[in-house]
Amino acid sequence: MATPTRTDFGLALAATLLALLVVLLGAYTRLSHAGLGCPDWPGCYGFLGVPMSEHGQALAEERFPEAPLEVAKGWIEMVHRYFAGLLGLLVLSLAVQALRRRVADGQPLRLPLALLGLVVLQAAFGMWTVTLKLWPQVVTAHLLGGFATLSLLFLLSLRLSGRVAPAAAPRGLRRLAGAALALLVAQIALGGWVSSNYAALACVDLPTCHGQWWPDTDFANGFHLTQQIGPNYLGGQLDSAARTAIHLGHRLGALVVALLLLALAVRLWRAGLTRLAALLALALAGQVSLGIANVLLHLPLGVAVAHNLGGALLLQVLVLVNYRLRAVAPATQRARYAGAAPLAE
Ligand code: HEM
């Protein structure tokens, strides 16, 4: 009977690391305003790469007169696409591998197949990001899809690693960890909404905004999810009060999430999972600090990309926490861990 090998685990881990890189390249593309660096998809001005020759550039101008070529932005966009394509191939091979081993006891099958579906959907969102000219709804969904791909690949790596502790966590702790994960995803969506609506600098002071605790805000327009302002969303279209509402929403969300994650860290610590608790507290502190630095330093590109990375890593910590609290070991591993204390690290 086929069983997972170290190669399966290695492939899943490589795909996880590549997904992290693709998420980061996506953030760099978005935050350096290169999302429309190529006005078409999957090529760039109809070419496989950014046209560099005089003839190619003349053709590009002829094909897309309304979108003048900026070579640097085109390359930023294309590098993101190449790495995303490579990730697609890795996920495809993980799915094929899982199908070949589907007879093996307890081996993940649905997860690699779901990942394949997700990657195909992500390619579609990548295309719509360009064709719908950075419509915030699509940009945010694309960001969430990237974070979801990364998280599911990390989960797959954990499952294939064979390092599973027996689950013996109290139900209350498991529920708290589940709620923390759900709220963190909502906070990441809010972050994507801030970024895609160009609301990062809607408040440049902190903790107040425009020198007030509650400045002029327009939540109805800031969170009007079916709005269709356009046609081109580069730089944002909402007015100041709507952007302020979005920015404040993300700040308030951060407050709620931080309190919940701190409570979770304390509960984990008390349950004996001290390393996980410390990791969570550290990732949270880093992410909040980077968010604050974003505002106070007026959004330097490096800090904005690091804040995206921090969000992705914090999410992986939450995936790990939930996995540790919920994982049920396959029979062989249960035997290996039989003598272990329930929640010891
Ligand atoms: C648990 C806490 C937090 C999480 C998980 C989080 C997550 C995110 C994410 C995923 C983004 C989108 C980044 C991108 O477009 O690539 C974002 C954007 C942003 N966040 Fe946070 N954030 C948190 C806390 C904060 C805090 C405390 C602040 C400041 C008070 C803050 C300020 C910002 C700003 C200004 C942006 C927009 C950046 C841009 O347009 O490039 N965040 N956040």
Side-chain angles (χ1 to χ4, degrees), residues 11-30 79-80 83-84 86-88 90-91 115 119 122 143 145-154 157 188 287 305-317:
L11 196 60
L13 193 62
T16 308
L17 294 176
L18 184 58
L20 186 63
L21 180 66
V22 172
V23 163
L24 272 184
L25 287 172
Y28 186 75
T29 306
R30 179 171 54 256
V79 168
H80 171 58
F83 278 98
L86 191 61
L87 178 62
L90 271 191
V91 169
L115 266 162
V119 164
Q122 269 300 86
L143 177 140
F147 275 48
T149 309
L150 169 64
S151 305
L152 292 184
L153 278 169
F154 182 48
S157 306
I188 288 168
Q287 180 62 352
V305 174
H307 189 56
N308 178 288
L309 174 66
L313 293 180
L314 186 56
L315 183 60
Q316 302 324 301
V317 174

Side-chain angles (χ1 to χ4, degrees), residues 207-221:
T208 49
C209 175
H210 307 311
Q212 292 170 285
W213 286 107
W214 199 256
D216 189 20
T217 50
D218 180 356
F219 277 86
N221 274 320

Side-chain angles (χ1 to χ4, degrees), residues 12-228:
L13 193 62
T16 308
L17 294 176
L18 184 58
L20 186 63
L21 180 66
V22 172
V23 163
L24 272 184
L25 287 172
Y28 186 75
T29 306
R30 179 171 54 256
L31 299 170
S32 56
H33 308 300
L36 295 180
C38 301
D40 49 340
W41 187 96
C44 191
Y45 292 86
F47 296 90
L48 280 176
V50 181
M52 298 298 283
S53 67
E54 236 174 72
H55 174 65
Q57 295 189 350
L59 260 179
E61 205 175 311
E62 206 178 297
R63 287 174 185 160
F64 295 92
E66 74 294 348
L69 171 69
E70 288 182 65
V71 171
K73 288 191 175 175
W75 277 121
I76 293 175
E77 165 97 45
M78 285 315 280
V79 168
H80 171 58
R81 289 187 196 173
Y82 296 146
F83 278 98
L86 191 61
L87 178 62
L89 291 179
L90 271 191
V91 169
L92 176 64
S93 46
L94 277 167
V96 170
Q97 197 71 332
L99 278 171
R100 284 183 52 218
R101 296 190 196 284
R102 66 187 181 280
V103 283
D105 171 39
Q107 288 321 306
L109 174 65
R110 278 184 300 181
L111 190 49
L113 292 183
L115 266 162
L116 186 59
L118 188 55
V119 164
V120 172
L121 194 66
Q122 269 300 86
F125 271 109
M127 176 185 69
W128 292 325
T129 296
V130 174
T131 56
L132 297 178
K133 299 205 176 349
L134 307 183
W135 195 37
Q137 285 79 338
V138 169
V139 174
T140 307
H142 192 44
L143 177 140
L144 283 176
F147 275 48
T149 309
L150 169 64
S151 305
L152 292 184
L153 278 169
F154 182 48
L155 180 63
L156 183 64
S157 306
L158 286 172
R159 288 182 66 183
L160 291 174
S161 71
R163 292 164 62 90
V164 184
R171 189 191 286 191
L173 182 52
R174 289 208 307 264
R175 282 195 179 155
L176 182 61
L181 178 63
L183 260 186
L184 181 63
V185 170
Q187 172 66 1
I188 288 168
L190 273 175
W193 197 240
V194 176
S195 179
S196 57
N197 280 289
Y198 302 85
L201 299 179
C203 304
V204 285
D205 47 330
L206 206 148
T208 49
C209 175
H210 307 311
Q212 292 170 285
W213 286 107
W214 199 256
D216 189 20
T217 50
D218 180 356
F219 277 86
N221 274 320
F223 290 90
H224 183 357
L225 296 186
T226 51
Q227 120 278 52
Q228 291 205 359

